[in-house]
Amino acid sequence: MFTTGQWTFAALFFVAFVVASYFAYGKDKALHQKVYKGSYKVLIAFLLFIALLFVIKVTMKH
């Protein structure tokens, strides 16, 4: 389905994207810790909500 060149491009693009993201986050790390303090609680609440919806779906199916 994909040629070798396309796979190579995808791999190099992925590596470049990860490296660029790492450096971009590293520059803003101090700012993120200050501005987004406690945002992990929102993430945990969101994931729990999604899990709750999944449990409701599974229990209603049976």
Side-chain angles (χ1 to χ4, degrees):
M1 182 177 229
F2 294 108
T3 65
T4 306
Q6 288 173 323
W7 280 110
T8 304
F9 174 78
L12 291 174
F13 182 85
F14 178 75
V15 169
F17 182 79
V18 168
V19 169
S21 297
Y22 176 77
F23 284 117
Y25 178 76
K27 283 174 50 177
D28 294 336
K29 188 174 181 180
L31 179 65
H32 287 183
Q33 288 176 346
K34 180 178 152 189
V35 175
Y36 299 112
K37 184 192 257 183
S39 62
Y40 69 91
K41 294 175 187 174
V42 176
L43 176 63
I44 291 171
F46 179 73
L47 293 175
L48 287 174
F49 179 71
I50 297 298
L52 177 66
L53 289 177
F54 180 73
V55 168
I56 291 171
K57 177 184 173 186
V58 169
T59 57
M60 294 292 189
K61 192 180 253 187
H62 296 281

